[in-house]
Amino acid sequence: MNRSFAQLAVFTLTGLALGASQHAFAQEDIWPETLAVDLNAEDPEIKEVGELIYKGGVKIRPGEHTIGGISSLEWHDGALWTVSDDGRWMRIVPDEAGAQLVDLTSMDMGTLRDLDGKELKKKELADAEAITRDPDGGWLVAFERDHRIWRYETLDGAASVHDTKATDLLEDAEPNGGLETLTYSIHGLLACGEWTDGDQAQCIFAGSSWSLPNTLTVPSLLAEHGGAPVDASCAENGTCYILFRSYLSGYGNRAAIVSVNGEETTTLAIFDAPLTLDNFEGLAVREHNGRRYLYLASDDNFNNCFEKDRDGCQNTLIMKFEIRQENPPPPPVANAPEPDGTYETTKVILETSMGDITVALETERAPITAANFLRYADEDRFDGTVFYRAMHINWGDQPNGLIQGGTQWDPKRILPGIQHEPTTETGLSHTVGALSMAMGEPGTANGDFSIMLGDQTGLDANPQSDDPVWQNGYAVFGYVTDGMDVVAAIHASPTDPEKGEGVMQGQMLAEPVTIIDVRRLEPRTQ
């Protein structure tokens, strides 16, 4: 039996290894190893805790440079920035499949410096516990033991003294119990100390009249173990998320995330056994495509279980969560590129029961395939057919995948197969909005086609491949010029888990979308 385009499209898009993998860091060729972790190792199907939806996580092997000691997190410019309690800064770039955290792409690190630009080495000077980016584009770093806040124009440069009301919190601080939290919001600089004494303020907004309760209410499950704030991060609308941590010898760690907006305080999630837990000290908020995500990081105190699982060992974890919304916005739809005006095209409208899709057929660059589609349109062979398949790909910008429709080998509709036009000859590619012919093997394409939701250039012809199928690839013959929102709506339609065979099982639409009419946008010239 020939493998169809429907099957082969899957094979080219599932090459991600989600288990242990290695990536080179930019500095000194460091090769840390990561391993995927479940939210609940006892039941990997559990994907939610409180109001948070788990989006994946990894634990990091410390490697030659003893990656660990992570004390705080900040999301900036597509990466997580952190400091460690041995005086280093780190930049961690997550590897994400859509919204799912599957690995780390890269990591840079360097040593924090003092006011003279010299590297921090002594523990009493180097114990960095909090980091945030200030409104002027610099960085604030809080240190404990020698309690202070320094500002860095760049993290690899010299420090400068930062005088702020936040240091008022440090008046009676213990050497190993200083500022654990620095973050900016629209209300000013939020700072929190790691203590539980009800007579001493835990958090303060410096330089702002906006206030917090003198002592934040620690979720009761953590309060019984001495829970305290250890990091925070604020969203663009001023809502701040505060990470609490507790530890009790013989029991271990607990954690909680609390949202604060004015006088409104809400516990979003409490982490307790058997959930994956460790010494969480970092929290960062990221807003993307109308959704809000939280990243968590843990401090292994340079006693990492990855090397040897022993009593008292800890892990360096990076975990990602989405904050639940009642009506989350749909992901934005990528715009298909405008056709190259250098080449002749013919506009066609696909009228469907969910809206119209306008396409430009590449009649000059893919003349055989475009002419075949036009013949089906002119003879009304598409009218009354359906879009029947939506393949979803969970990596890359979302939505991603393809929709497929057409004649489904109906003997009353199909015409003889056509000569294959590989992309190596046409110069076209399977990018966003591309129309591509379904086929079993070259010469069999007739009246079924797909539309790409994202770039899937793995479907292009590859003469270097050892597989004859991929040597030929699939034939692109046009691009969507208007109506990608309709394509995305069809793609988002419910599928039936019982419909379809082989790799297509679960990809068939529960209620296929009718193709009412396919016609030229302009009258056909004689």
Side-chain angles (χ1 to χ4, degrees), residues 162 168 370 384 487:
H162 185 74
D168 293 350
V487 175

Side-chain angles (χ1 to χ4, degrees), residues 144-410:
E144 65 180 12
R145 300 180 193 271
D146 180 5
H147 298 303
R148 66 199 188 278
I149 298 174
W150 278 351
R151 184 182 188 275
Y152 292 87
E153 191 66 34
T154 61
L155 287 173
D156 56 359
S160 60
V161 175
H162 185 74
D163 188 17
T164 170
K165 188 180 177 183
T167 55
D168 293 350
L169 287 170
L170 298 170
E171 197 169 316
D172 299 316
E174 297 291 331
N176 194 30
L179 291 178
E180 290 278 338
T181 294
L182 287 177
T183 188
Y184 272 95
S185 85
I186 58 177
H187 305 295
L189 175 63
L190 171 64
C192 296
E194 187 186 14
W195 46 74
T196 58
D197 185 354
D199 295 328
Q200 184 179 8
Q202 292 171 308
C203 300
I204 189 172
F205 269 98
S208 172
S209 60
W210 202 76
S211 62
L212 285 167
N214 187 56
T215 299
L216 291 169
T217 301
V218 181
S220 58
L221 196 64
L222 278 72
E224 65 187 48
H225 289 179
V230 290
D231 203 10
S233 188
C234 300
E236 293 177 0
N237 69 351
T239 300
C240 293
Y241 301 91
I242 299 178
L243 170 64
F244 288 86
R245 177 197 62 189
S246 69
Y247 176 79
L248 182 66
S249 179
Y251 182 88
N253 293 286
R254 285 173 174 164
I257 298 175
V258 173
S259 69
V260 179
N261 194 346
E263 295 300 316
E264 183 179 350
T265 301
T266 305
T267 299
L268 294 183
I270 294 177
F271 295 80
D272 194 15
L275 298 182
T276 297
L277 273 166
D278 222 297
N279 184 29
F280 289 129
E281 289 197 23
L283 176 72
V285 63
R286 175 189 179 191
E287 295 178 88
H288 183 63
N289 290 341
R291 296 170 185 254
R292 194 169 292 172
Y293 301 97
L294 298 176
Y295 293 88
L296 279 178
S298 66
D299 177 0
D300 67 4
N301 282 309
F302 303 105
N303 184 21
N304 196 289
C305 300
F306 216 126
E307 296 290 351
K308 185 177 181 181
D309 193 357
R310 56 196 180 279
D311 289 342
C313 69
Q314 297 170 302
N315 289 292
T316 299
L317 299 174
I318 304 291
M319 303 174 74
K320 181 182 179 183
F321 297 86
E322 180 180 352
I323 301 175
R324 187 192 313 279
Q325 300 181 64
E326 289 187 8
N327 297 299
V333 181
N335 292 323
E338 287 295 323
D340 187 340
T342 307
Y343 300 94
E344 181 181 341
T345 61
T346 298
K347 290 286 187 72
V348 170
I349 290 182
L350 284 69
E351 181 186 348
T352 81
S353 56
M354 295 187 72
D356 293 349
I357 304 167
T358 304
V359 301
L361 302 183
E362 296 282 351
T363 49
E364 181 175 350
R365 288 192 283 183
I368 297 172
T369 317
N372 176 70
F373 192 89
L374 285 170
R375 182 179 174 187
Y376 275 82
D378 294 337
E379 297 179 5
D380 297 331
R381 293 175 182 270
F382 285 133
D383 298 357
T385 61
V386 295
F387 282 105
Y388 52 84
R389 180 194 179 205
M391 186 183 76
H392 292 260
I393 302 170
N394 292 323
W395 53 261
D397 292 335
Q398 297 296 307
N400 198 4
L402 57 82
I403 62 172
Q404 189 165 324
T407 56
Q408 294 182 277
W409 290 91
D410 182 345

Side-chain angles (χ1 to χ4, degrees), residues 46-65:
I46 293 178
K47 302 295 182 184
E48 298 182 3
V49 51
E51 296 301 310
L52 304 182
I53 304 167
Y54 188 50
K55 293 295 180 178
V58 296
K59 62 180 177 179
I60 308 173
R61 185 172 186 165
E64 295 179 5
H65 284 246

